[in-house]
Amino acid sequence: MNSIHPIHPYKAKPFLKWAGGKTQLLAAIDGLLPASFHEQTTVTYIEPFVGGGAVLFYLLQKYPNISKAIINDINPHLIHAYQAIKNHSDELILCLSQIQSSYRALSEVEAQKKFFLEIRERFNAIPRSCIEDATYMIFLNRTCFNGLYRENSKGEFNVSFGKYLNPTILDESLIRMDSEILQRVEILNGDFSQIESHLSDYTFIYFDPPYRPITSSAAFTAYNKGNFNDKEQVRLKEFYTKMSDNGCYVLLSNSDGRASDPDNTYLDELYKEFIIQRVFAKRSISCAGSKRGPIPELLIRNYQTCQSEDYNFS
């Protein structure tokens, strides 16, 4: 089985490395858009768990018929980064340039580590301006171990130093391209359910929640201090069903429990009244190279597509 490697001409892309990012699944998601999507002149696109935004940047560049876009995430640091790029790109570029120069001026790894830990401590202190928060988040993302974002129970970023020799902290062209795309986007910060007030006549919603762990050792849901447990998975499913009943086209991605245990059909049962398709993506967030191969994931939808139902995305 080969992982999906989408090839497209679009330049705006995620400005952060994000666990569970959807770059590897863009071709599959594009192929599973509603059959009526391409015929619409005005589409409202909503992402209640925006994360790194790979799907957002891809779809908004490819489909000009998306006339309205709303993104949301519960992580305020992440939302500050989106807001800073959208509304204060020049100031953010200046701040990133300064912090990059300061970091690169340090020739010893231990000095860089000390600098990293000082920025991490500032990042975990509140309050901060939107631009300062975004600067620290991007810096930490480019210099921490494996580009991972993780919070402890106190809501503090706790990923260790990454020991990268010369990381690119400022990618000015990317920030400017992303800023241009984000001018079309309304940015929210809060629970996924708040997007309900933003529905329109033709609304396509893509849910990319924290994945349900498929093994006890893979229980990584701590993108923020809250725990997206099975109770939250059920609440999300109920909201997904509500959006479906409201006439929205809804697509949701999640882990495939059967990948490690054939009897783990929790999500298959939870979404049994909807269309469930298995696709394969290569994940690179694991520190073990042997665990970075293609793994099955679920794409769950409430609509028919232009593709035949047996289309193979593996």
Side-chain angles (χ1 to χ4, degrees):
M1 294 173 287
N2 297 318
S3 59
I4 297 166
H5 295 279
I7 299 175
H8 56 79
Y10 310 120
K11 295 181 179 180
K13 60 183 180 180
F15 54 88
L16 294 172
K17 183 175 181 180
W18 201 254
K22 290 298 172 291
T23 300
Q24 296 292 334
L25 285 181
L26 290 177
I29 290 171
D30 194 0
L32 290 178
L33 292 176
S36 56
F37 182 94
H38 307 275
E39 305 165 1
Q40 302 299 312
T41 56
T42 57
V43 172
T44 294
Y45 174 71
I46 303 179
E47 258 196 81
F49 304 86
V50 68
V55 178
L56 170 79
F57 290 117
Y58 175 81
L59 292 182
L60 262 62
Q61 289 174 100
K62 184 171 183 178
Y63 296 105
N65 59 334
I66 298 178
S67 56
K68 179 180 178 183
I70 297 98
I71 61 173
N72 174 77
D73 204 278
I74 200 170
N75 186 321
H77 303 298
L78 177 64
I79 292 304
H80 281 164
Y82 276 100
Q83 291 170 335
I85 289 175
K86 176 182 178 180
N87 300 316
H88 309 286
S89 58
D90 288 339
E91 297 94 323
L92 179 62
I93 286 168
L94 177 60
C95 290
L96 286 172
S97 176
Q98 292 172 342
I99 202 171
Q100 178 173 264
S101 296
S102 297
Y103 182 80
R104 289 183 174 179
L106 303 171
S107 57
E108 300 294 330
V109 172
E110 285 304 312
Q112 290 182 334
K113 180 178 180 180
K114 180 180 178 182
F115 187 86
F116 169 88
L117 293 174
E118 288 174 353
I119 296 299
R120 191 178 72 175
E121 184 176 356
R122 292 183 202 173
F123 182 71
N124 287 328
I126 54 175
R128 290 176 308 280
S129 69
C130 173
I131 297 172
E132 186 179 18
D133 204 14
T135 300
Y136 290 165
M137 184 171 196
I138 293 172
F139 168 80
L140 292 170
N141 184 258
R142 300 298 176 90
T143 56
C144 75
F145 176 73
N146 214 16
L148 180 66
Y149 188 90
R150 182 186 63 214
E151 292 182 358
N152 60 23
S153 60
K154 297 179 181 180
E156 297 173 336
F157 178 79
N158 64 353
V159 183
S160 60
F161 178 56
K163 299 181 181 179
Y164 301 115
L165 295 177
N166 192 29
T168 300
I169 296 165
L170 168 61
D171 188 336
E172 182 175 348
S173 62
L174 178 62
I175 288 176
R176 294 199 183 281
M177 287 184 289
D178 286 357
S179 180
E180 181 178 349
I181 294 297
L182 290 173
Q183 300 310 307
R184 299 165 55 189
V185 180
E186 183 173 353
I187 303 171
L188 307 177
N189 175 213
D191 186 74
F192 62 82
S193 61
Q194 71 174 324
I195 61 97
E196 184 174 1
S197 61
H198 295 269
L199 308 183
S200 63
D201 290 340
Y202 191 100
T203 301
F204 175 62
I205 306 174
Y206 172 54
F207 292 96
D208 184 26
Y211 277 19
R212 185 174 190 264
I214 59 175
T215 65
S216 58
S217 62
F220 180 78
T221 57
Y223 303 112
N224 61 78
K225 63 182 178 180
N227 181 21
F228 208 87
N229 54 25
D230 281 354
K231 182 179 179 180
E232 288 297 288
Q233 295 285 357
V234 171
R235 186 169 73 91
L236 173 58
K237 189 270 177 181
E238 292 171 349
F239 185 74
Y240 177 104
T241 302
K242 183 179 183 181
M243 294 300 94
S244 179
D245 292 343
N246 282 344
C248 299
Y249 296 86
V250 285
L251 176 67
L252 178 143
S253 54
N254 214 316
S255 58
D256 181 6
R258 288 168 53 186
S260 60
D261 179 3
D263 296 324
N264 185 353
T265 58
Y266 178 87
L267 289 171
D268 292 82
E269 292 298 319
L270 190 62
Y271 288 92
K272 61 185 178 182
E273 68 265 44
F274 298 103
I275 302 170
I276 300 175
Q277 193 145 4
R278 283 171 164 81
V279 296
F280 290 85
K282 184 177 181 180
R283 291 295 172 206
S284 59
I285 203 68
S286 172
C287 61
S290 61
K291 297 180 180 180
R292 295 182 181 180
I295 58 173
E297 300 185 13
L298 303 181
L299 287 177
I300 304 168
R301 52 193 163 90
N302 72 332
Y303 55 82
Q304 299 299 322
T305 74
C306 294
Q307 302 287 358
S308 63
E309 293 305 306
D310 60 351
Y311 187 86
N312 182 11
F313 288 102
S314 60

